[in-house]
Coordinates of all heavy atoms in Angstrom, one line a residue:
L278 N 24.7 -30.4 -7.0 CA 24.4 -29.3 -6.1 C 22.8 -29.2 -6.0 O 22.3 -29.0 -4.9 CB 25.0 -28.0 -6.6 CG 24.9 -26.8 -5.7 CD1 25.6 -27.1 -4.3 CD2 25.5 -25.6 -6.3
T279 N 22.2 -29.2 -7.1 CA 20.7 -29.1 -7.1 C 20.1 -30.3 -6.4 O 19.2 -30.1 -5.7 CB 20.2 -29.0 -8.5 OG1 20.8 -27.9 -9.2 CG2 18.6 -28.8 -8.6
Q280 N 20.7 -31.4 -6.6 CA 20.2 -32.7 -5.9 C 20.4 -32.6 -4.4 O 19.6 -33.0 -3.7 CB 21.0 -33.9 -6.5 CG 20.5 -35.2 -6.0 CD 21.2 -36.4 -6.6 OE1 22.2 -36.2 -7.2 NE2 20.8 -37.6 -6.3
A281 N 21.5 -32.1 -4.0 CA 21.7 -31.9 -2.6 C 20.7 -31.0 -1.9 O 20.2 -31.3 -0.9 CB 23.2 -31.4 -2.3
R282 N 20.4 -29.9 -2.6 CA 19.4 -29.0 -2.1 C 18.1 -29.7 -2.0 O 17.3 -29.5 -1.0 CB 19.3 -27.8 -3.0 CG 20.4 -26.8 -2.8 CD 20.3 -25.6 -3.6 NE 21.4 -24.7 -3.5 CZ 21.8 -23.9 -4.5 NH1 21.1 -23.8 -5.6 NH2 22.9 -23.1 -4.4
A283 N 17.7 -30.4 -3.1 CA 16.4 -31.1 -3.1 C 16.3 -32.1 -1.9 O 15.3 -32.3 -1.4 CB 16.3 -31.8 -4.5
L284 N 17.4 -32.8 -1.7 CA 17.4 -33.8 -0.6 C 17.3 -33.1 0.7 O 16.5 -33.6 1.6 CB 18.7 -34.6 -0.6 CG 18.8 -35.7 -1.7 CD1 20.2 -36.4 -1.7 CD2 17.7 -36.7 -1.5
G285 N 17.8 -31.9 0.9 CA 17.7 -31.1 2.1 C 16.2 -30.6 2.3 O 15.6 -30.8 3.4
D286 N 15.6 -30.3 1.2 CA 14.2 -29.8 1.3 C 13.3 -31.0 1.5 O 12.3 -30.9 2.3 CB 13.8 -29.2 0.0 CG 14.4 -27.8 -0.3 OD1 14.9 -27.3 0.7 OD2 14.4 -27.4 -1.4
F287 N 13.6 -32.1 1.0 CA 12.8 -33.4 1.2 C 12.9 -33.7 2.7 O 11.9 -34.2 3.3 CB 13.3 -34.5 0.3 CG 12.6 -35.8 0.5 CD1 11.3 -36.0 0.1 CD2 13.1 -36.9 1.2 CE1 10.7 -37.2 0.3 CE2 12.5 -38.0 1.5 CZ 11.2 -38.2 1.0
A288 N 14.1 -33.8 3.2 CA 14.3 -34.1 4.7 C 13.5 -33.2 5.6 O 13.0 -33.6 6.6 CB 15.7 -34.2 5.0
S289 N 13.5 -31.9 5.2 CA 12.8 -31.0 6.2 C 11.3 -31.1 6.0 O 10.5 -30.8 6.9 CB 13.3 -29.5 5.9 OG 12.9 -29.2 4.6
G290 N 10.9 -31.7 4.9 CA 9.5 -31.9 4.7 C 8.9 -33.0 5.6 O 7.6 -33.0 5.8
E291 N 9.7 -33.9 6.2 CA 9.3 -34.9 7.0 C 8.9 -34.4 8.4 O 8.3 -35.1 9.2 CB 10.3 -35.9 7.2 CG 10.6 -36.7 6.1 CD 11.7 -37.8 6.2 OE1 12.3 -37.8 7.3 OE2 11.9 -38.6 5.3
L292 N 9.1 -33.1 8.7 CA 8.7 -32.4 9.9 C 7.2 -32.1 10.0 O 6.7 -31.9 11.0 CB 9.5 -31.2 10.1 CG 11.0 -31.4 10.4 CD1 11.7 -30.0 10.4 CD2 11.2 -32.1 11.7
F293 N 6.6 -32.1 8.8 CA 5.2 -31.7 8.7 C 4.3 -32.9 8.4 O 4.7 -33.9 7.9 CB 5.0 -30.6 7.6 CG 5.9 -29.5 7.8 CD1 7.1 -29.4 7.0 CD2 5.7 -28.5 8.7 CE1 7.9 -28.3 7.1 CE2 6.5 -27.4 8.9 CZ 7.6 -27.3 8.1
P294 N 3.0 -32.7 8.8 CA 2.0 -33.7 8.6 C 1.8 -34.0 7.1 O 2.0 -33.1 6.2 CB 0.7 -33.2 9.2 CG 1.0 -32.1 10.0 CD 2.4 -31.6 9.5
T295 N 1.5 -35.2 6.7 CA 1.2 -35.6 5.3 C -0.3 -35.9 5.2 O -0.9 -36.5 6.1 CB 2.0 -36.7 4.8 OG1 1.7 -37.9 5.6 CG2 3.4 -36.4 4.8
L296 N -0.9 -35.5 4.1 CA -2.3 -35.8 3.9 C -2.5 -36.6 2.5 O -1.9 -36.2 1.5 CB -3.1 -34.5 3.7 CG -4.6 -34.6 3.3 CD1 -5.4 -35.4 4.5 CD2 -5.1 -33.3 3.1
G297 N -3.2 -37.7 2.6 CA -3.4 -38.5 1.4 C -4.9 -38.6 1.2 O -5.7 -38.8 2.1
L298 N -5.3 -38.5 -0.1 CA -6.6 -38.5 -0.5 C -6.8 -39.5 -1.6 O -5.9 -39.7 -2.4 CB -7.1 -37.1 -1.0 CG -7.1 -36.0 0.0 CD1 -7.4 -34.6 -0.7 CD2 -8.1 -36.3 1.0
G299 N -7.9 -40.2 -1.7 CA -8.2 -41.2 -2.7 C -9.7 -41.3 -2.9 O -10.5 -40.9 -2.1
G300 N -10.0 -42.0 -4.0 CA -11.4 -42.2 -4.3 C -11.6 -43.4 -5.2 O -10.6 -43.8 -5.8
N301 N -12.8 -43.9 -5.3 CA -13.1 -45.0 -6.2 C -14.6 -45.1 -6.5 O -15.4 -44.6 -5.8 CB -12.7 -46.3 -5.4 CG -12.8 -47.6 -6.3 OD1 -12.5 -47.4 -7.5 ND2 -13.0 -48.7 -5.8
V302 N -14.8 -45.6 -7.7 CA -16.2 -45.7 -8.2 C -16.3 -47.1 -8.8 O -15.5 -47.5 -9.5 CB -16.5 -44.7 -9.3 CG1 -17.9 -44.9 -9.8 CG2 -16.4 -43.2 -8.9
A303 N -17.3 -47.8 -8.3 CA -17.5 -49.2 -8.8 C -19.0 -49.3 -9.2 O -19.9 -48.9 -8.6 CB -17.2 -50.2 -7.8
R304 N -19.2 -50.0 -10.4 CA -20.6 -50.3 -10.9 C -20.8 -51.8 -10.8 O -19.9 -52.6 -11.3 CB -20.6 -49.8 -12.4 CG -22.1 -49.8 -12.9 CD -22.4 -48.6 -13.7 NE -23.6 -48.8 -14.3 CZ -24.7 -48.2 -13.9 NH1 -24.7 -47.5 -12.7 NH2 -25.9 -48.2 -14.5
F305 N -21.9 -52.2 -10.2 CA -22.3 -53.6 -10.1 C -23.5 -53.9 -10.9 O -24.6 -53.2 -10.8 CB -22.5 -54.0 -8.6 CG -21.4 -53.7 -7.7 CD1 -21.2 -52.6 -7.0 CD2 -20.3 -54.6 -7.7 CE1 -20.1 -52.4 -6.2 CE2 -19.2 -54.5 -6.9 CZ -19.0 -53.3 -6.2
N306 N -23.5 -55.0 -11.6 CA -24.7 -55.5 -12.3 C -25.0 -57.0 -11.7 O -24.1 -57.8 -11.7 CB -24.4 -55.7 -13.8 CG -24.9 -54.5 -14.7 OD1 -25.8 -53.9 -14.2 ND2 -24.3 -54.4 -15.8
Q307 N -26.1 -57.1 -11.2 CA -26.5 -58.4 -10.7 C -27.3 -59.2 -11.7 O -28.2 -58.7 -12.3 CB -27.5 -58.2 -9.5 CG -27.8 -59.4 -8.7 CD -26.6 -60.0 -7.9 OE1 -25.8 -59.2 -7.4 NE2 -26.5 -61.2 -7.8
P308 N -26.8 -60.5 -12.0 CA -27.5 -61.2 -13.0 C -28.9 -61.6 -12.7 O -29.3 -61.7 -11.5 CB -26.7 -62.5 -13.1 CG -25.4 -62.3 -12.3 CD -25.7 -61.1 -11.5
E309 N -29.9 -61.4 -13.6 CA -31.3 -61.7 -13.4 C -31.6 -63.1 -12.9 O -32.5 -63.3 -12.1 CB -32.0 -61.4 -14.7 CG -33.5 -61.4 -14.4 CD -34.3 -60.9 -15.7 OE1 -33.8 -60.1 -16.4 OE2 -35.4 -61.5 -15.9
A310 N -30.7 -64.1 -13.3 CA -30.9 -65.5 -12.8 C -30.7 -65.7 -11.3 O -31.4 -66.6 -10.8 CB -29.9 -66.4 -13.6
S311 N -30.1 -64.7 -10.6 CA -29.9 -64.9 -9.2 C -31.2 -64.8 -8.4 O -31.3 -65.5 -7.5 CB -28.9 -63.8 -8.7 OG -27.6 -64.0 -9.4
F312 N -32.0 -63.9 -8.8 CA -33.2 -63.7 -8.0 C -34.5 -63.9 -8.8 O -35.6 -63.9 -8.2 CB -33.2 -62.2 -7.5 CG -32.1 -61.9 -6.6 CD1 -31.0 -61.2 -7.1 CD2 -32.1 -62.3 -5.3 CE1 -29.9 -60.9 -6.2 CE2 -31.0 -62.0 -4.5 CZ -29.9 -61.3 -4.9
G313 N -34.4 -64.1 -10.0 CA -35.6 -64.3 -10.9 C -36.3 -63.0 -11.4 O -37.3 -63.1 -12.1
F314 N -35.7 -61.9 -10.9 CA -36.3 -60.6 -11.4 C -35.1 -59.7 -11.6 O -33.9 -59.9 -11.1 CB -37.3 -60.0 -10.4 CG -36.9 -59.9 -9.0 CD1 -36.2 -58.7 -8.6 CD2 -37.0 -60.9 -8.1 CE1 -35.7 -58.5 -7.3 CE2 -36.5 -60.8 -6.8 CZ -35.8 -59.6 -6.5
A315 N -35.3 -58.6 -12.4 CA -34.2 -57.7 -12.7 C -34.0 -56.7 -11.6 O -34.8 -56.2 -11.0 CB -34.6 -56.9 -14.0
I316 N -32.7 -56.6 -11.3 CA -32.2 -55.6 -10.2 C -31.5 -54.6 -11.0 O -30.5 -54.9 -11.8 CB -31.3 -56.3 -9.2 CG1 -32.2 -57.3 -8.4 CG2 -30.8 -55.3 -8.2 CD1 -31.3 -58.1 -7.5
P317 N -31.7 -53.3 -10.8 CA -31.1 -52.3 -11.5 C -29.6 -52.2 -11.1 O -29.3 -52.6 -10.0 CB -31.7 -51.0 -11.2 CG -32.6 -51.3 -10.0 CD -32.8 -52.8 -9.9
P318 N -28.7 -51.9 -12.0 CA -27.3 -51.8 -11.7 C -27.1 -50.7 -10.5 O -27.8 -49.8 -10.4 CB -26.6 -51.3 -12.9 CG -27.7 -51.1 -14.0 CD -29.0 -51.5 -13.4
R319 N -26.1 -51.0 -9.8 CA -25.8 -50.1 -8.6 C -24.4 -49.5 -8.8 O -23.4 -50.1 -9.4 CB -25.7 -50.8 -7.3 CG -26.9 -51.4 -6.8 CD -26.8 -52.1 -5.5 NE -25.8 -53.3 -5.7 CZ -25.1 -53.7 -4.8 NH1 -25.1 -53.2 -3.5 NH2 -24.3 -54.8 -5.0
T320 N -24.2 -48.2 -8.5 CA -23.0 -47.6 -8.5 C -22.6 -47.2 -7.1 O -23.3 -46.5 -6.4 CB -23.0 -46.3 -9.4 OG1 -23.4 -46.6 -10.7 CG2 -21.7 -45.6 -9.5
V321 N -21.4 -47.5 -6.7 CA -20.9 -47.3 -5.3 C -19.7 -46.4 -5.4 O -18.8 -46.6 -6.1 CB -20.5 -48.6 -4.6 CG1 -19.9 -48.3 -3.2 CG2 -21.7 -49.6 -4.6
Y322 N -19.8 -45.2 -4.7 CA -18.8 -44.3 -4.7 C -18.1 -44.3 -3.3 O -18.8 -44.4 -2.2 CB -19.3 -42.8 -4.8 CG -20.0 -42.6 -6.1 CD1 -21.4 -42.8 -6.2 CD2 -19.4 -42.3 -7.3 CE1 -22.2 -42.7 -7.4 CE2 -20.1 -42.1 -8.4 CZ -21.5 -42.3 -8.5 OH -22.1 -42.1 -9.7
S323 N -16.8 -44.2 -3.2 CA -16.1 -44.2 -1.9 C -15.0 -43.1 -2.0 O -14.3 -43.0 -3.0 CB -15.5 -45.5 -1.6 OG -14.5 -45.9 -2.5
V324 N -14.7 -42.5 -0.9 CA -13.7 -41.5 -0.8 C -13.0 -41.8 0.6 O -13.6 -42.1 1.5 CB -14.3 -40.1 -0.7 CG1 -13.2 -39.0 -0.5 CG2 -15.0 -39.8 -2.0
N325 N -11.6 -41.7 0.6 CA -10.9 -41.9 1.7 C -9.9 -40.9 1.9 O -9.4 -40.3 0.9 CB -10.3 -43.3 1.8 CG -9.5 -43.7 0.6 OD1 -9.0 -42.8 -0.1 ND2 -9.3 -45.0 0.4
A326 N -9.4 -40.6 3.1 CA -8.4 -39.7 3.5 C -7.6 -40.2 4.6 O -8.1 -40.9 5.5 CB -9.1 -38.3 3.8
A327 N -6.3 -39.9 4.6 CA -5.4 -40.3 5.7 C -4.5 -39.1 6.1 O -4.0 -38.4 5.2 CB -4.6 -41.5 5.3
L328 N -4.4 -38.8 7.3 CA -3.6 -37.8 7.8 C -2.5 -38.4 8.7 O -2.9 -39.1 9.7 CB -4.3 -36.7 8.6 CG -3.5 -35.6 9.2 CD1 -2.9 -34.7 8.2 CD2 -4.4 -34.8 10.2
N329 N -1.2 -38.2 8.4 CA -0.1 -38.9 9.2 C 0.8 -37.8 9.7 O 1.2 -36.9 9.0 CB 0.7 -39.9 8.2 CG -0.1 -41.0 7.7 OD1 -0.8 -41.7 8.5 ND2 -0.1 -41.2 6.4
Y330 N 1.2 -38.1 10.9 CA 2.2 -37.2 11.5 C 3.1 -38.0 12.5 O 2.5 -38.7 13.3 CB 1.6 -36.0 12.3 CG 2.5 -35.1 13.0 CD1 3.3 -34.2 12.1 CD2 2.7 -35.1 14.3 CE1 4.2 -33.4 12.7 CE2 3.6 -34.3 14.9 CZ 4.4 -33.4 14.1 OH 5.3 -32.6 14.7
E331 N 4.4 -37.8 12.4 CA 5.2 -38.5 13.3 C 5.8 -37.5 14.3 O 6.5 -36.6 13.9 CB 6.4 -39.2 12.5 CG 7.3 -40.0 13.4 CD 8.4 -40.7 12.7 OE1 8.4 -40.7 11.4 OE2 9.3 -41.2 13.3
A332 N 5.6 -37.7 15.5 CA 6.1 -36.8 16.5 C 7.5 -37.0 16.7 O 8.0 -38.1 16.9 CB 5.4 -37.0 17.9
D333 N 8.3 -36.0 16.6 CA 9.8 -36.0 16.6 C 10.2 -35.8 18.1 O 10.9 -34.9 18.5 CB 10.4 -34.8 15.8 CG 11.8 -35.1 15.5 OD1 12.3 -36.1 15.8 OD2 12.5 -34.1 15.2
I334 N 9.9 -36.8 19.0 CA 10.1 -36.7 20.4 C 11.6 -36.7 20.7 O 12.1 -35.9 21.5 CB 9.4 -38.0 21.1 CG1 8.0 -37.9 21.0 CG2 9.8 -38.0 22.6 CD1 7.2 -39.1 21.4
F335 N 12.4 -37.6 20.0 CA 13.8 -37.7 20.3 C 14.7 -36.8 19.3 O 16.0 -36.9 19.4 CB 14.3 -39.2 20.4 CG 13.6 -39.9 21.4 CD1 12.6 -40.9 21.1 CD2 13.8 -39.8 22.7 CE1 11.9 -41.6 22.0 CE2 13.1 -40.5 23.7 CZ 12.2 -41.4 23.3
G336 N 14.1 -36.1 18.5 CA 14.8 -35.3 17.6 C 15.4 -35.9 16.4 O 16.3 -35.4 15.7
R337 N 15.1 -37.2 16.1 CA 15.7 -37.9 15.0 C 15.4 -37.3 13.6 O 16.2 -37.2 12.7 CB 15.1 -39.4 15.0 CG 15.7 -40.2 13.8 CD 14.9 -41.6 13.7 NE 13.5 -41.4 13.5 CZ 13.0 -41.3 12.2 NH1 13.8 -41.3 11.2 NH2 11.7 -41.3 12.1
I338 N 14.1 -36.9 13.4 CA 13.7 -36.2 12.1 C 14.5 -34.9 12.0 O 15.0 -34.6 10.9 CB 12.2 -36.1 12.1 CG1 11.6 -37.5 12.1 CG2 11.8 -35.4 10.7 CD1 10.0 -37.4 12.2
R339 N 14.4 -34.1 13.0 CA 15.1 -32.8 12.9 C 16.6 -32.9 12.7 O 17.2 -32.2 11.9 CB 14.8 -32.0 14.2 CG 15.2 -30.5 14.0 CD 14.6 -29.6 15.1 NE 13.2 -29.7 15.3 CZ 12.3 -29.0 14.5 NH1 12.8 -28.2 13.5 NH2 11.0 -29.1 14.7
A340 N 17.2 -33.9 13.4 CA 18.7 -34.1 13.1 C 18.9 -34.5 11.7 O 19.9 -34.1 11.1 CB 19.1 -35.1 14.2
G341 N 18.2 -35.4 11.2 CA 18.3 -35.8 9.8 C 18.1 -34.7 8.8 O 18.9 -34.6 7.9
S342 N 17.1 -33.8 9.1 CA 17.0 -32.7 8.2 C 18.1 -31.7 8.3 O 18.5 -31.2 7.3 CB 15.7 -32.0 8.7 OG 15.5 -30.7 8.1
R343 N 18.6 -31.5 9.5 CA 19.8 -30.6 9.7 C 21.0 -31.2 9.0 O 21.8 -30.5 8.3 CB 20.0 -30.5 11.2 CG 20.9 -29.2 11.5 CD 21.0 -29.0 13.0 NE 19.8 -29.0 13.7 CZ 19.4 -29.8 14.8 NH1 20.3 -30.7 15.2 NH2 18.2 -29.7 15.3
A344 N 21.2 -32.5 9.1 CA 22.3 -33.2 8.4 C 22.2 -33.0 6.9 O 23.2 -32.8 6.2 CB 22.4 -34.6 8.8
A345 N 21.0 -33.2 6.4 CA 20.8 -33.1 4.9 C 21.1 -31.6 4.5 O 21.7 -31.4 3.4 CB 19.4 -33.4 4.5
M346 N 20.6 -30.7 5.2 CA 20.9 -29.3 4.9 C 22.4 -29.0 5.0 O 23.0 -28.2 4.2 CB 20.1 -28.3 5.8 CG 18.6 -28.3 5.5 SD 18.2 -28.0 3.8 CE 18.4 -26.3 3.7
N347 N 23.1 -29.5 6.0 CA 24.5 -29.3 6.1 C 25.3 -30.0 4.9 O 26.3 -29.4 4.5 CB 25.0 -29.8 7.5 CG 24.6 -29.0 8.7 OD1 24.4 -27.8 8.5 ND2 24.5 -29.5 9.8
D348 N 24.9 -31.1 4.5 CA 25.5 -31.7 3.3 C 25.3 -30.8 2.1 O 26.2 -30.6 1.3 CB 24.9 -33.1 3.1 CG 25.3 -34.1 4.0 OD1 26.3 -33.9 4.7 OD2 24.7 -35.2 4.0
A349 N 24.2 -30.2 1.9 CA 23.9 -29.4 0.8 C 24.8 -28.1 0.9 O 25.3 -27.7 -0.1 CB 22.4 -28.9 0.7
L350 N 24.9 -27.6 2.1 CA 25.8 -26.4 2.3 C 27.3 -26.7 2.0 O 28.0 -25.9 1.4 CB 25.6 -25.8 3.7 CG 24.3 -25.1 3.9 CD1 24.2 -24.7 5.4 CD2 24.1 -23.9 3.0
A351 N 27.7 -27.9 2.4 CA 29.1 -28.4 2.2 C 29.3 -28.5 0.7 O 30.3 -28.1 0.2 CB 29.3 -29.7 2.9
Q352 N 28.4 -29.1 0.0 CA 28.6 -29.3 -1.5 C 28.6 -28.0 -2.1 O 29.3 -27.8 -3.1 CB 27.5 -30.2 -2.0 CG 27.7 -31.6 -1.6 CD 26.7 -32.6 -2.3 OE1 26.1 -32.2 -3.3 NE2 26.6 -33.9 -1.8
E353 N 27.8 -27.1 -1.7 CA 27.7 -25.7 -2.3 C 29.1 -25.0 -2.0 O 29.6 -24.3 -2.9 CB 26.7 -24.8 -1.6 CG 26.3 -23.6 -2.4 CD 25.0 -23.0 -1.8 OE1 24.0 -23.6 -1.6 OE2 25.2 -21.7 -1.6
A354 N 29.7 -25.2 -0.8 CA 31.0 -24.6 -0.5 C 32.1 -25.2 -1.4 O 33.0 -24.4 -2.0 CB 31.3 -24.8 0.9
V355 N 32.0 -26.5 -1.6 CA 33.0 -27.1 -2.5 C 32.9 -26.6 -3.9 O 33.9 -26.3 -4.6 CB 32.9 -28.7 -2.5 CG1 33.6 -29.4 -3.6 CG2 33.3 -29.2 -1.1
A356 N 31.6 -26.5 -4.4 CA 31.4 -26.0 -5.8 C 31.9 -24.6 -5.9 O 32.5 -24.2 -6.9 CB 29.9 -26.0 -6.1
E357 N 31.8 -23.7 -4.9 CA 32.3 -22.3 -4.9 C 33.8 -22.3 -4.9 O 34.5 -21.5 -5.6 CB 31.7 -21.5 -3.8 CG 30.3 -21.1 -4.0 CD 29.8 -20.1 -2.9 OE1 30.6 -19.4 -2.4 OE2 28.6 -20.1 -2.7
N358 N 34.5 -23.2 -4.1 CA 35.9 -23.3 -4.1 C 36.5 -23.7 -5.4 O 37.7 -23.4 -5.7 CB 36.4 -24.1 -2.9 CG 36.2 -23.6 -1.6 OD1 36.1 -22.3 -1.5 ND2 36.0 -24.4 -0.6
V359 N 35.8 -24.5 -6.1 CA 36.3 -25.1 -7.4 C 36.3 -23.9 -8.5 O 37.1 -23.9 -9.3 CB 35.5 -26.3 -7.8 CG1 35.8 -26.6 -9.3 CG2 35.6 -27.4 -7.0
R360 N 35.4 -23.0 -8.3 CA 35.3 -21.9 -9.3 C 36.4 -21.0 -9.3 O 37.2 -20.6 -8.9 CB 34.0 -21.1 -9.1 CG 32.7 -21.9 -9.5 CD 31.5 -21.0 -9.2 NE 30.4 -21.9 -9.1 CZ 29.2 -21.6 -8.5 NH1 29.1 -20.4 -8.1 NH2 28.2 -22.4 -8.5

């Protein structure tokens, strides 16, 4: 029953945009033999972000969400009838 509710919540979550964030730090040391003189080490920082949204033009996502919620309600009704 809890799993069915969680699946319903997950399916309805697809209606909203998602945001992904990430980052990276890299440290580079250049060998002195490459240039004949010492180059200080470099640290490079990078940050990235992604925003995704799928337009529900034909209602596929909303129908899937509704079906998952109906499944959860049906399982809840079966559980109540068993009691």
